[in-house]
Structure formats: C-alpha cells, structure tokens
Amino acid sequence: MTKQKKIPLRRCTGCNQPFPKKDLLRVVRTPEGNVVLDFTGKVGGRGAYVCHSLSCLKKARKSQRLEKNLGVSISDEVYDKMESEISGNV
C-alpha cells in the first residue's frame, strides 16, 4: 500500500476558499520590501495567494486584503500584472 502524497492547500485572499497551492497565483513581499508575482512558488519572502478569478482579485483589491496580508502597499502596476496574468489563464 503506497502512501498518498499530501497536497498543500492555501486560501485565496479574495474568496477565502482553500485551493491546491499550484492552482493559485502567489504574490510575494521580498525581504527588501518589493512586491513581485511568484510563478514558481519558491521566491523567498511573505506570500499571499489569489485564485485565477477576476472577481476574487477585484474583491481582494477593494478590501485591501493583499496589503494587509503582506504588510506593504501594492502599486497599481502589480495589480495590472496580476489582472493580465489571470485574464490570460481564463
């Protein structure tokens, strides 16, 4: 009998639903204080996750949940990158 591999779950900051980590878009605050998108899941720093739904991104942006989770203000250009990434995956 083989042991089943555990799939890590993370919560979307927009809808607060758990998803497998690989299905979410990770936003990272690096130790230097920069905010970047992490496509590999290996960038060092504090991370927050958003599912691939524009409505979740808009909800997270309106309520400033990403800023609260990361402890830093996020520029419009990062939000625009996230929106174009999510739009491209739909």
Side-chain angles (χ1 to χ4, degrees), residues 3-89:
K3 194 173 185 180
Q4 193 171 13
K5 191 172 184 179
K6 185 178 177 185
I7 299 172
L9 297 177
R10 299 292 183 265
R11 287 198 181 271
C12 170
T13 55
C15 62
N16 204 27
Q17 296 295 315
F19 291 96
K21 185 178 173 181
K22 64 179 179 140
D23 294 344
L24 297 170
L25 178 61
R26 184 171 186 237
V27 184
V28 179
R29 182 196 69 211
T30 62
E32 295 81 32
N34 300 326
V35 177
V36 295
L37 298 181
D38 179 14
F39 301 106
T40 63
K42 297 182 181 186
V43 173
R46 175 80 176 149
Y49 297 86
V50 179
C51 62
H52 290 282
S53 166
L54 284 175
S55 62
C56 283
L57 177 61
K58 288 178 183 177
K59 191 184 295 184
R61 186 176 188 173
K62 183 177 180 183
S63 62
Q64 296 183 340
R65 289 183 189 162
L66 289 171
E67 283 94 344
K68 291 173 187 172
N69 285 342
L70 298 177
V72 68
S73 63
I74 299 176
S75 68
D76 289 336
E77 138 187 324
V78 173
Y79 277 117
D80 292 340
K81 282 183 193 175
M82 291 170 59
E83 193 171 324
S84 66
E85 181 64 31
I86 289 172
S87 297
N89 289 335

